[in-house]
Amino acid sequence: MRSIDDEIRELSPWFHNLHLPDGRETAPDHFLGDFPSFKWREIAPSIPDDLSGWSALDIGCNAGFYSFELARRGARVLGIDCDSHYLDQARWAAGQYGLEGLVDFRQMQVYDLARLTGKFDLVLFMGVFYHLRYPMLALDIVAQKTAGMMLFQTVTMPGREVAGQSDFWINERDALLEKGWPKLAFIEERFAGDPTNWWIANHAAVEAMLRSAGMRITGHPGDEIYLCEPDPEKPSCMTTWNRSEYLSAVQAQKDDL
C-alpha cells in the first residue's frame, strides 16, 4: 500500500509547498522558502474572512494553495491551469483536505475564460501575466469576468515612478523615455531560465493596463500586488468603441478550439 510520502514523491516536482493536515509538506525545501504561504499572508487581510456564497476564480492555480485557502473561507472555487501535472497535484490535495465539494479544477488557458458564462465575485490573477504571449487580451477577458474584486500580481521592473501622460504630437516621442512612462520589456528568449517569461512591466504600465481594462486600483497589499475592482465610471474601451477588436480576437480563439 502506498503511503502519503510515496504519493507526494510520485506527484513531484511541486511548486506549491502545501501544508497537509497530517503535518507533511509537499515542497519543504522550496527555493523561495515557504511558498506561497508567505504570499498568502500578504493578501489574506484584503479578503473577507467569510466568503460564504461567493464564487472565486484562481487563474494559474498550480497545486491549488490559494484555491484551498478561499474554499476554507466558504467560497466555491474554480481553479484553472494549463498544466495537467499541477492539476493532478491539486485534485489529489483537495482529497487530502476534504475540499472536493468546494473546488473544481480544470485544464484551461486564461483565454478560454471568454467562453464561460457568468462572472466571479473574487478573482486571483497572480503569477501568470508575464507568462502570457497576449497579455492585454488576457487582462481584458479576466476583467470582464470580475464582478467584485481582483487580486493581480506580476513580476515588475524596479521602481515605482509614474509619469504624467498626455496626448503628445508624433514628433514628441522623447516623452516615452521618461522613467515613469508605462513600459513593458519583451523577453525574446529566456528570463530566469524560463522561455515562458515573455514580459516584464514597470509599475506605471501595470497600473495603466489595469485601468485600461476597466479596473480601479484600490490598494497594494504587497510587493507587485494590486487590489482592484471594476470601475463603472471608466469602463474598458473594449466594451465601447473598441468592442469589435476584442470580439474578433475572442472569436478567433473560439474557432480554433
Side-chain angles (χ1 to χ4, degrees):
M1 181 176 179
R2 292 183 305 162
S3 67
I4 292 180
D5 288 330
D6 291 333
E7 293 176 343
I8 292 173
R9 280 192 295 271
E10 290 172 6
L11 287 165
S12 65
W14 294 78
F15 190 65
H16 280 184
N17 183 37
L18 303 181
H19 294 247
L20 300 177
D22 65 0
R24 289 179 173 85
E25 298 179 28
T26 57
D29 300 319
H30 200 295
F31 70 97
L32 291 175
D34 192 9
F35 179 85
S37 289
F38 70 84
K39 191 65 68 175
W40 171 252
R41 288 192 291 271
E42 292 181 334
I43 67 173
S46 300
I47 299 173
D49 291 333
D50 185 1
L51 296 177
S52 300
W54 284 47
S55 59
L57 172 64
D58 182 7
I59 301 170
C61 63
N62 203 275
F65 180 95
Y66 296 121
S67 296
F68 300 137
E69 292 295 340
L70 299 179
R72 289 189 186 101
R73 295 190 179 199
R76 298 193 66 84
V77 186
L78 171 61
I80 68 169
D81 205 290
C82 62
D83 193 321
S84 61
H85 172 75
Y86 291 134
L87 292 171
D88 287 342
Q89 294 176 345
R91 293 181 182 118
W92 175 85
Q96 297 298 312
Y97 291 124
L99 294 172
E100 305 99 314
L102 287 174
V103 183
D104 177 19
F105 292 110
R106 302 183 197 175
Q107 187 169 10
M108 296 173 62
Q109 291 278 357
V110 62
Y111 314 105
D112 295 331
L113 291 170
R115 295 184 297 151
L116 292 184
T117 58
K119 298 187 178 186
F120 296 86
D121 301 305
L122 172 60
V123 174
L124 267 59
F125 192 11
M126 300 180 61
V128 175
F129 189 74
Y130 51 97
H131 291 299
L132 300 174
R133 182 77 172 184
Y134 310 103
M136 196 65 221
L137 174 60
L139 186 54
D140 279 336
I141 291 171
V142 174
Q144 292 305 298
K145 293 299 174 184
T146 304
M149 60 188 296
M150 177 200 298
L151 279 155
F152 178 89
Q153 184 274 333
T154 188
V155 173
T156 60
M157 302 179 197
R160 302 277 294 180
E161 299 85 0
V162 177
Q165 299 182 52
S166 60
D167 188 2
F168 296 104
W169 182 242
I170 194 168
N171 291 328
E172 298 177 319
R173 282 170 280 177
D174 286 350
L176 304 180
L177 299 177
E178 291 184 26
K179 195 169 185 179
W181 188 271
K183 297 181 180 71
L184 276 79
F186 176 69
I187 311 299
E188 183 179 1
E189 297 293 341
R190 292 172 181 263
F191 182 79
D194 188 341
T196 73
N197 286 332
W198 291 108
W199 306 94
I200 306 295
N202 65 3
H203 169 69
V206 174
E207 292 202 331
M209 288 186 290
L210 286 167
R211 290 192 299 268
S212 182
M215 304 301 292
R216 177 193 295 128
I217 300 164
T218 60
H220 296 89
D223 184 40
E224 301 179 333
I225 302 175
Y226 301 78
L227 181 63
C228 316
E229 64 185 13
D231 188 349
E233 296 180 0
K234 295 182 179 179
S236 169
C237 66
M238 75 87 186
T239 66
T240 54
W241 62 267
N242 204 32
R243 182 69 172 167
S244 62
E245 181 179 359
Y246 172 79
L247 292 176
S248 179
V250 170
Q251 188 61 47
Q253 65 97 9
K254 285 182 181 179
D255 291 343
D256 287 340
L257 294 175

